[in-house]
Amino acid sequence: MKHILLVDNDVLFTKTITSLLQKEHLDVSVAKDGKEAAIALAAGDFDLVITDLFMPYSNGFELVNTIRQNKFTYIPIMVVSNVTKVQSIANCFRLGADIYLQKPLSFPLLLSEIKNLMLNQRNVAA
Amino acid sequence: MWLHKEFLISILFGSWSFSWDSFPVFIKICFIISMLALFGIVIAMVDIAVQRFSRKRLEKKTALLSVRINELLTSAVMMEEPAMQKKISFVKSDFTIDSLYDSGIPDKEVNKILVTEMIRYRNYFSGQIAERIRKLYLDLSLHKEAINRLHKKNWETKAAALSELFKMDIEVDPTDLLQLVDDKNRYIREFARLSLIKFTKADPLQFLRDLSEPISQWEEFEIFQLFQQKKDFTLSSLEGLIALDKEPSIVSLCLKLAVHFKQEAALSLIINLIKTPNLKLRGEAIACLGKLEAKDTEKELVAIYPEQPHVIKLEILTALGRMQSRRCLDFLEKEFISSSDFEIKKYASDAIIKLYPLSKSTIDKLMLNAGILNQKILNHSLNPLINAS
């Protein structure tokens, strides 16, 4: 079963996404901020990280940067946020995010992008 | 000293009537006022304490209720499609909506939290999930309450109701909205205008024709964003909206809409605006002509150029560059070479480069014959990494 790390400080969002992804036979772990996510990443093995941008303590930009600085593994990163500022979105990609999805989110789109990213990861690994 | 002693004795032995009568009237009045003030303070403090206690209790209950509502909404979202179609009976039994109202929190407060959470959901999710939340909102008849609140006197209540209906995608009767588009309160005004644009298909700009008040920049931004998202509508004629006698902020918005929706039919209206004494609007109109590539207006722009102020001259040069026509190349070349103003030279050079490949021979000629400064400016404009306006 594929393991996803979902990083967002909003319980309503994480709960819903977790339930929806679990229905699709995906295993989801939740972290409230970048700091918690970094700890989870060090401890576990994840196939994808889905993160928000604005969270307390350590934000999404820092998290993307941290993941990309650790060159030992390649984890696809999906940023999901309500940020519309082009510079912020460009900054995500510059730091190493693979895809940016805008809230409000369409779940079928999210799911198809998750599948795409995982497929790409498998191709990269191969 | 003797009086003081007697006074103390009178207090100690309770002969109040004697001591009270012996005081002058103004002392008595001051005493009564002090006592009343003290009493008032005690009452106010007790009231504050009681209110704080009950608010804390309500907050605790509300927090618990929010969690339950979230769970409920999540389960509503997770439901399979056929089950969702069963409407209220299903909602009441399976979602245990009724139990929310038994939590000791006033029904109004419960509804408020429910709607807040629903809106939060819709801010996070679009598509089917958002539609399910909207359906639940309708099934629980929460929209009826919001529509009733539209007729209340309090502006905050009205604005909140409008915002709620707008965010939940509930269509409001246009006659109700038209009464509110010119409201004194700007929040009510804004939400009413936005709702009208969102839900009117035939002529979403109709209300702009009746407006005499300026629209704020934020409103302009929101209206423009709504139009960008709107799909099933036709932009009506901009006649009467792009006019010299119309409020400049409305004209400015319409110019942006004309460019976005490529309204070439509005060109004759836009060209009239170059006579406006309002420099900002004149500049916007010229920029609009450029963006719409109105080649027929080239001659007119070149004709008015000499008597225009500096900012407008720059707008004209940019517009000419956008028009993709070689007719104005000589004019641009002349401005580039003969002008002593650096900015004019730079804008003319940008315009010439924008006209490439039509301007290829002119560029080659200038690169050979122009002076060092002119060549540097041209090279700067030719650099693809520098974004020319």
Side-chain angles (χ1 to χ4, degrees):
Chain A
M1 199 187 244
K2 294 283 182 187
H3 197 182
I4 295 171
L5 178 63
L6 178 60
V7 193
D8 200 311
N9 60 329
D10 196 292
V11 185
L12 176 72
F13 183 74
T14 51
K15 258 191 176 176
T16 314
I17 291 286
T18 306
S19 315
L20 289 166
L21 291 179
Q22 278 169 350
K23 255 181 130 182
E24 301 294 326
H25 310 291
L26 291 161
D27 190 13
V28 184
S29 296
V30 177
K32 271 186 253 165
D33 55 64
K35 256 186 187 176
E36 260 188 37
I39 296 167
L41 280 164
D45 202 12
F46 293 95
D47 300 291
L48 173 71
V49 174
I50 302 175
T51 180
D52 187 13
L53 281 183
F54 296 111
M55 297 170 287
Y57 309 117
S58 172
N59 63 32
F61 295 108
E62 287 166 354
L63 177 65
V64 176
N65 197 29
T66 311
I67 297 171
R68 289 295 174 248
Q69 293 302 312
N70 293 326
K71 291 166 191 155
F72 59 90
T73 177
Y74 177 78
I75 305 174
I77 304 170
M78 176 187 282
V79 177
V80 177
S81 176
N82 50 10
V83 171
T84 47
K85 212 173 164 190
V86 181
Q87 280 159 320
S88 302
I89 298 169
N91 208 15
C92 289
F93 288 116
R94 193 179 58 78
L95 290 169
D98 293 282
I99 188 163
Y100 179 87
L101 292 184
Q102 176 91 45
K103 284 178 189 172
L105 206 63
S106 147
F107 186 69
L109 176 73
L110 174 79
L111 202 62
S112 75
E113 293 300 345
I114 288 174
K115 281 175 185 165
N116 275 345
L117 282 176
M118 286 181 170
L119 200 72
N120 285 345
Q121 186 198 22
R122 209 185 304 153
N123 292 342
V124 168
Chain B
M1 192 65 199
W2 178 84
L3 248 175
H4 185 60
K5 196 177 165 187
E6 197 175 65
F7 175 65
L8 282 174
I9 290 168
S10 72
I11 288 175
L12 284 171
F13 294 99
S15 50
W16 273 98
S17 59
F18 166 73
S19 58
W20 179 251
D21 290 341
S22 67
F23 290 131
V25 180
F26 75 92
I27 294 278
K28 285 180 186 170
I29 293 169
C30 288
F31 182 77
I32 291 168
I33 292 172
S34 307
M35 280 301 130
L36 282 175
L38 201 69
F39 183 68
I41 289 169
V42 171
I43 295 277
M45 289 184 82
V46 169
D47 185 51
I48 289 169
V50 170
Q51 272 192 25
R52 279 191 184 173
F53 176 72
S54 51
R55 205 183 307 147
K56 272 261 160 91
R57 234 175 54 161
L58 188 69
E59 271 172 21
K60 260 189 187 176
K61 279 185 183 176
T62 309
L64 278 173
L65 188 72
S66 286
V67 175
R68 279 178 64 197
I69 288 175
N70 282 347
E71 280 168 8
L72 218 67
L73 292 178
T74 310
S75 65
V77 164
M78 305 296 294
M79 289 296 161
E80 293 302 328
E81 197 55 44
M84 275 302 294
Q85 284 164 0
K86 287 188 190 170
K87 279 185 89 173
I88 301 171
S89 57
F90 162 77
V91 168
K92 288 210 167 160
S93 57
D94 289 28
F95 288 180
T96 59
I97 276 287
D98 283 342
S99 67
L100 294 178
Y101 298 96
D102 304 332
S103 52
I105 300 172
D107 286 3
K108 259 189 177 178
E109 206 64 32
V110 175
N111 286 346
K112 213 167 137 184
I113 302 166
L114 195 58
V115 171
T116 309
E117 293 302 320
M118 282 179 170
I119 291 173
R120 207 148 72 96
Y121 235 110
R122 283 177 60 90
N123 286 341
Y124 289 148
F125 299 101
S126 61
Q128 213 177 27
I129 295 178
E131 198 41 51
R132 282 180 180 187
I133 295 293
R134 182 177 175 271
K135 192 171 180 301
L136 191 61
Y137 178 82
L138 288 171
D139 287 350
L140 293 170
S141 299
L142 293 169
H143 65 296
K144 285 179 188 162
E145 273 181 44
I147 289 169
N148 285 339
R149 274 188 278 135
L150 283 182
H151 304 288
K152 292 269 157 76
K153 275 190 177 172
N154 185 315
W155 73 265
E156 278 177 325
T157 316
K158 256 190 209 179
L162 273 173
S163 153
E164 182 184 317
L165 292 164
F166 178 78
K167 287 173 183 167
M168 293 304 296
D169 264 349
I170 307 295
E171 206 170 326
V172 184
D173 186 1
T175 46
D176 279 345
L177 287 176
L178 279 168
Q179 287 169 358
L180 301 173
V181 285
D182 242 346
D183 198 277
K184 276 181 194 166
N185 186 284
R186 77 181 173 98
Y187 296 103
I188 295 178
R189 227 163 46 209
E190 281 177 26
F191 278 118
R193 290 171 187 179
L194 292 177
S195 303
L196 212 56
I197 292 170
K198 193 172 185 179
F199 301 114
T200 313
K201 280 174 186 138
D203 185 7
L205 289 175
Q206 180 54 43
F207 79 99
L208 283 177
R209 293 177 206 281
D210 310 322
L211 283 189
S212 50
E213 293 287 308
I215 51 172
S216 67
Q217 267 194 321
W218 178 249
E219 251 181 304
E220 191 186 300
F221 168 75
E222 286 208 304
I223 291 175
F224 190 75
Q225 214 181 19
L226 260 180
F227 269 108
Q228 276 183 314
Q229 291 163 1
K230 240 174 124 66
K231 282 167 193 141
D232 50 345
F233 82 104
T234 45
L235 192 71
S236 52
S237 159
L238 293 165
E239 209 172 319
L241 288 169
I242 298 180
L244 287 166
D245 58 345
K246 199 76 194 157
E247 164 57 40
S249 57
I250 296 172
V251 182
S252 173
L253 168 69
C254 292
L255 286 175
K256 286 176 189 120
L257 289 173
V259 172
H260 185 76
F261 293 102
K262 302 206 182 333
Q263 295 292 296
E264 279 164 14
L267 281 176
S268 57
L269 304 169
I270 299 167
I271 195 78
N272 285 335
L273 278 185
I274 59 175
K275 293 170 204 147
T276 174
N278 184 330
L279 279 187
K280 189 175 168 276
L281 206 57
R282 200 189 307 167
E284 282 180 19
I286 292 166
C288 188
L289 291 173
K291 285 174 188 167
L292 286 172
E293 296 183 17
K295 289 173 191 162
D296 296 342
T297 60
E298 253 177 345
K299 238 183 176 178
E300 201 153 344
L301 290 181
V302 173
I304 62 160
Y305 182 85
E307 72 256 21
Q308 294 301 315
H310 187 255
V311 274
I312 301 295
K313 280 185 175 171
L314 299 182
E315 286 293 353
I316 293 177
L317 292 172
T318 311
L320 292 176
R322 283 180 175 141
M323 284 179 189
Q324 291 299 314
S325 150
R326 54 177 305 128
R327 272 180 293 175
C328 59
L329 250 177
D330 291 341
F331 168 74
L332 290 172
E333 190 185 341
K334 196 183 113 237
E335 275 305 297
F336 175 63
I337 293 169
S338 61
S339 177
S340 55
D341 186 309
F342 180 81
E343 249 186 321
I344 297 274
K345 271 183 186 291
K346 178 73 181 83
Y347 274 69
S349 144
D350 285 342
I352 294 169
I353 302 303
K354 270 209 169 151
L355 290 174
Y356 187 86
L358 296 172
S359 59
K360 191 182 178 305
S361 58
T362 312
I363 296 169
D364 291 342
K365 190 174 80 185
L366 287 171
M367 286 305 268
L368 280 172
N369 304 329
I372 297 170
L373 177 67
N374 286 346
Q375 281 177 354
K376 274 193 177 169
I377 294 173
L378 267 176
N379 275 325
H380 188 270
S381 300
L382 277 166
N383 189 342
L385 296 175
I386 298 165
N387 185 20
S389 57

